[in-house]
Amino acid sequence: MTLRGKLGFIGGGRMGEALIQGILRTEIITAADIMVTDPVSSRREYLAKTYRVNSFDSGEDDHVWSGCSTVILAVKPQIMEEVLKDARDRINDSHLLISIAAGIKTSLIDANLTRCNCRIIRVMPNTPAFVLEAASALCHGPRATREDMETALAIFNSIGRAIILDEKYFDAVTGLSGSGPAYVFTCIEPLIDAGLKVGLNRSDAELLVMQTVLGSVKLAMASNEHPAQLRAMVTSPGGTTIAGLHELEAAGFSGIIMDAVEAATERSKELGK
Ligand SMILES: NC(=O)c1ccc[n+]([C@@H]2O[C@H](COP(=O)([O-])OP(=O)(O)OC[C@H]3O[C@@H](n4cnc5c(N)ncnc54)[C@H](OP(=O)(O)O)[C@@H]3O)[C@@H](O)[C@H]2O)c1
């Protein structure tokens, strides 16, 4: 797929950069057709030098709004309303807006654009975007077409894997994959410490844990087996793995993980009110 028209970014921070990196890798658009605004001059220079994209001061965002048919809103959620109100006169019916701001509903974006009927899509990516392995959920906002969703899928598949979901699931997505990297890191850290506890040095423990996690994920993704079946493959009767699994389950490990995701989902709902 090739993206039609130019692609703009309002906000050239970490997530904006990850998207630029991924998009350029897939060659669905060239660097010359990407425009970014950011208030920090060193950031603009860095993006222009590293990726050869066109960068502008945030006060000159009219270049982006007049030059780009698709614009990704990659600013912090706290300033989203201010940014939209400020750009209201420059956003028109021909724009496709794609917001990645956590917790900002498409209805709120629409409500801040009273003078136009542009199409809106909301996306929830996660931090593995920085290594082009994000898990992203996309939802239709007002007026977004099937073609718009395909455009957004092409963009977000360039930084990992993306699926389309109804917006009513976005609090669950926030609790599961949005917060998910933190749960994984919280498992990785004590695994490394456990390696030390049983006598390994730190660098050996780190390598063994990281490669075990990476390899297990790759195995689970490549296999058609249920995770329980993959676990059974390493669990022999009276063996070492069942001794370790017994400790995890005695402490309620599965329930704790489910409670964590549920608590994060509830918190996302509260913050969205
Ligand atoms: N990072 C994640 O894992 C993640 C995951 C899911 C969703 N998101 C969402 O992605 C969005 C961006 O996150 P991020 O991690 O990339 O944040 P970030 O690194 O802070 O990037 C935001 C960038 O926008 C700039 N900016 C501020 N005001 C602006 C304006 N008026 N016009 C243009 N640019 C402006 C900021 O500059 P200053 O630094 O000077 O303010 C900063 O460079 C957020 O809404 C966040 O909720 C992030």
Side-chain angles (χ1 to χ4, degrees):
M1 167 178 202
T2 311
L3 288 193
R4 273 205 222 141
K6 296 193 181 198
L7 177 65
F9 285 86
I10 304 295
R14 292 173 311 153
M15 200 49 92
E17 180 179 358
L19 279 161
I20 290 169
Q21 224 179 319
I23 291 164
L24 291 177
R25 188 180 63 152
T26 60
E27 299 178 353
I28 53 179
I29 196 165
T30 63
D33 286 331
I34 295 179
M35 295 182 171
V36 191
T37 66
D38 199 275
V40 182
S41 64
S42 58
R43 190 70 192 155
R44 294 195 297 275
E45 281 158 25
Y46 164 79
L47 292 172
K49 197 170 163 210
T50 311
Y51 302 105
R52 310 260 167 235
V53 295
N54 306 286
S55 65
F56 304 92
D57 189 0
S58 44
E60 300 171 349
D61 67 348
D62 48 323
H63 291 286
V64 169
W65 293 114
S66 62
C68 301
S69 47
T70 303
V71 178
I72 298 182
L73 302 169
V75 291
K76 290 277 189 217
Q78 305 88 285
I79 64 158
M80 181 62 87
E81 283 197 80
E82 183 191 321
V83 165
L84 289 172
K85 280 187 183 139
D86 195 49
R88 221 180 235 178
D89 294 337
R90 299 182 285 288
I91 305 176
N92 61 51
D93 293 0
S94 68
H95 283 122
L96 167 62
L97 299 192
I98 303 178
S99 166
I100 60 169
I104 303 280
K105 294 192 173 79
T106 56
S107 55
L108 184 75
I109 296 173
D110 203 27
N112 279 283
L113 300 171
T114 45
R115 285 175 216 154
C116 86
N117 284 315
C118 65
R119 290 111 61 216
I120 302 169
I121 290 174
R122 177 180 170 193
V123 183
M124 181 65 197
N126 62 6
T127 49
F130 307 143
V131 289
L132 307 181
E133 291 290 356
S136 304
L138 283 59
C139 74
H140 286 87
R143 300 169 291 279
T145 65
R146 211 175 70 177
E147 198 185 335
D148 294 334
M149 294 308 285
E150 279 166 17
T151 299
L153 270 180
I155 292 172
F156 286 87
N157 274 325
S158 81
I159 55 159
R161 295 176 72 166
I163 56 169
I164 296 175
L165 285 177
D166 193 285
E167 194 167 11
K168 71 181 178 192
Y169 295 115
F170 265 49
D171 291 312
V173 169
T174 304
L176 186 64
S177 55
S179 303
Y183 310 143
V184 176
F185 299 136
T186 302
C187 288
I188 287 176
E189 194 191 352
L191 274 175
I192 293 169
D193 286 345
L196 265 70
K197 189 148 196 287
V198 293
L200 298 171
N201 71 40
R202 179 163 291 280
S203 64
D204 289 344
E206 275 176 7
L207 183 141
L208 290 171
V209 169
M210 298 292 185
Q211 186 59 30
T212 299
V213 173
L214 179 70
S216 304
V217 171
K218 282 193 169 179
L219 178 62
M221 290 180 95
S223 159
N224 289 324
E225 304 282 5
H226 188 278
Q229 187 55 37
L230 295 173
R231 192 175 58 184
M233 280 161 54
V234 282
T235 313
S236 53
T240 57
T241 309
I242 193 63
L245 287 174
H246 173 85
E247 291 296 322
L248 287 178
E249 292 314 329
F253 185 75
S254 301
I256 290 169
I257 297 284
M258 288 185 220
D259 286 350
V261 173
E262 205 167 27
T265 302
E266 289 307 313
R267 184 70 185 133
S268 174
K269 283 183 193 164
E270 277 168 30
L271 291 174
K273 275 179 193 157

